[in-house]
Amino acid sequence: MNVLGIETSCDETSAAVVRLGRTVLSNVVASQIEQHRPYGGVVPEIASRSHVRVLPGVIAEAIARANTTWAQIDAIAVTYGPGLASSLLVGLSMAKGLALAVRKPLCAVNHLQAHVYSPFLTPGTPSIEEVCPCIALVVSGGHTCLLRVESPDRACLLGQTIDDAAGEAFDKGASLLNLGYPGGPAMDRLGKIGDPASVAFPRARAPRAGSRMEGLAADLCFSFSGLKTALLYHLKAHPIPDGDAARLADVVASYQEAIVDVLLDRTEKAMTGHHTLLVGGGVSLNSRLRARLQAYAASAGIRLLLAEARFCGDNAAMIAGLAGNGQGLWGADALRVDAEPNLPVAPVGGR
Ligand code: KG4
Ligand code: ZN
């Protein structure tokens, strides 16, 4: 079964063809970073207009690169949330229209559940059925959450950020350091050469109760907004002299380490009693996070399934993969569904 996936939840326009939920035949990603860079963040109006402009060509290219024809496409899968309303609508309307026009079944997919599925797109990885129950960490620009994946069809939310996402912490920190947008990749590069112990940035303790924590264990939730403030005050007290690249790298490495420490701490707690950890989302590209996760997995005897670099950021292969594995909303349910900007990843569940 070949599924055509379509992803337009934020600022990447992507289409992919995936066979049987596992074999990626094509994965075309058109990035809009250059269009948003002058504004230091994603501008929703620019994002949706750009999706409208490039999506038809991206879909045609995904089908061509997969060496398939429309006749060989068995279903169309699309992200319906969470994300930017106007961006989601472009992909969803296109997918609904295509499904009706070419008479293929439609599947509507939760973007965050697709990030959870992304490690299974790598050849040789066991199937999701084989590793459940397991824990998943999703770290992206908009979300940071820990899930218990009971079965391919059932997951529950164990913890999430109560303020900024890990990617936002990277991007806002980078902006304070004038490293440009998006900040994650620049922080990663500089962090490699700095000393992570040079500045003692705070590691947020278990946050106080708040509406985003309802039903969740405090020690599995994240808070990153205080870290960004700590960086602001640090820079006021100790400005980095112009051209002092070594000092800049030290501050970046220390700031990055504070984010990675907190991600590791919560993940290790969530892993109690579990043997497999899935990790996906744009921030899982971070080399320090990947190295720390690998070291933890090796020392704790845990099977770590990290999404491959090309499947970490937003991409349609993970959407087509999840649908091809039988998940998502199908048929009339999918045709009826609306864009859901605040779609939760999964119901809240206890440990
Ligand atoms: O998953 P993603 O592509 O989009 C969302 O769904 O949000 O994640 C984008 C986020 C941005 O905040 C970006 O700065 C961050 O991932 N990111 C990184 C790295 N590459 C991208 N953060 C840290 N280190 C990286 N190498
Ligand atoms: Zn994402």
Side-chain angles (χ1 to χ4, degrees):
M1 154 144 155
N2 292 327
V3 177
L4 168 73
I6 296 174
E7 155 65 39
T8 64
S9 66
C10 190
D11 63 335
E12 333 279 1
T13 315
S14 181
V17 179
V18 176
R19 179 167 295 161
L20 293 170
R22 295 298 305 260
T23 309
V24 180
L25 303 182
S26 67
N27 184 35
V28 180
V29 183
S31 165
Q32 302 176 1
I33 283 182
E34 290 315 320
Q35 295 165 64
H36 299 288
R37 202 189 295 284
Y39 305 95
V42 176
V43 182
E45 182 68 19
I46 293 178
S48 55
R49 282 172 189 242
S50 178
H51 287 313
V52 169
R53 219 171 29 248
V54 307
L55 184 56
V58 166
I59 292 173
E61 196 176 333
I63 291 181
R65 278 202 212 166
N67 270 324
T68 46
T69 60
W70 275 105
Q72 293 163 302
I73 299 292
D74 301 296
I76 298 171
V78 63
T79 305
Y80 74 104
L84 298 171
S86 50
S87 287
L88 290 165
L89 270 174
V90 178
L92 191 57
S93 312
M94 172 66 92
K96 284 182 179 177
L98 275 176
L100 291 171
V102 296
R103 297 172 196 275
K104 308 280 180 189
L106 180 70
C107 175
V109 167
N110 181 316
H111 176 86
L112 293 173
Q113 287 171 9
H115 273 305
V116 169
Y117 186 81
S118 57
F120 300 103
L121 297 171
T122 299
T125 313
S127 69
I128 187 165
E129 286 78 6
E130 285 172 84
V131 305
C132 286
C134 62
I135 297 294
L137 171 70
V138 177
V139 272
S140 75
H143 297 87
T144 300
C145 51
L146 277 164
L147 305 159
R148 183 178 139 87
V149 187
E150 321 268 355
S151 70
D153 284 315
R154 216 173 71 236
C156 62
L157 181 65
L158 298 176
Q160 66 183 351
T161 179
I162 59 153
D163 42 54
D164 292 347
E168 267 175 293
F170 274 108
D171 293 341
K172 289 178 177 175
S175 155
L176 290 172
L177 292 161
N178 295 320
L179 296 178
Y181 168 84
M187 299 281 265
D188 192 347
R189 270 192 308 276
L190 278 168
K192 280 184 192 151
I193 47 178
D195 172 9
S198 68
V199 185
F201 285 117
R203 273 61 171 160
R205 287 191 306 274
R208 293 186 302 275
S211 62
R212 292 177 79 174
M213 268 182 65
E214 252 161 51
L216 301 172
D219 62 346
L220 299 182
C221 285
F222 308 85
S223 166
F224 291 110
S225 65
L227 177 60
K228 171 193 64 192
T229 312
L231 174 61
L232 180 69
Y233 283 120
H234 176 82
L235 292 175
K236 276 193 178 148
H238 311 280
I240 301 173
D242 271 350
D244 192 344
R247 180 79 204 127
L248 175 64
D250 283 349
V251 173
V252 167
S254 302
Y255 185 84
Q256 172 175 264
E257 200 67 6
I259 297 173
V260 172
D261 267 353
V262 171
L263 292 174
L264 262 290
D265 173 81
R266 309 298 192 265
T267 304
E268 288 180 27
K269 286 184 176 127
M271 282 304 293
T272 309
H274 295 86
H275 306 291
T276 303
L277 173 62
L278 315 176
V279 185
V283 178
S284 62
L285 276 171
N286 183 265
S287 40
R288 182 68 180 153
L289 176 62
R290 291 177 92 86
R292 291 277 308 273
L293 284 167
Q294 274 152 353
Y296 158 65
S299 72
I302 275 160
R303 174 162 54 188
L304 173 66
L305 300 181
L306 262 171
E308 225 177 281
R310 64 193 172 122
F311 303 130
C312 285
D314 290 345
N315 68 89
M318 66 184 189
I319 307 301
L322 188 68
N325 202 53
Q327 276 75 59
L329 303 174
W330 286 86
D333 286 345
L335 282 168
R336 254 197 310 265
V337 92
D338 239 330
E340 287 202 32
N342 299 317
L343 183 67
V345 58
V348 170
R351 274 194 159 102

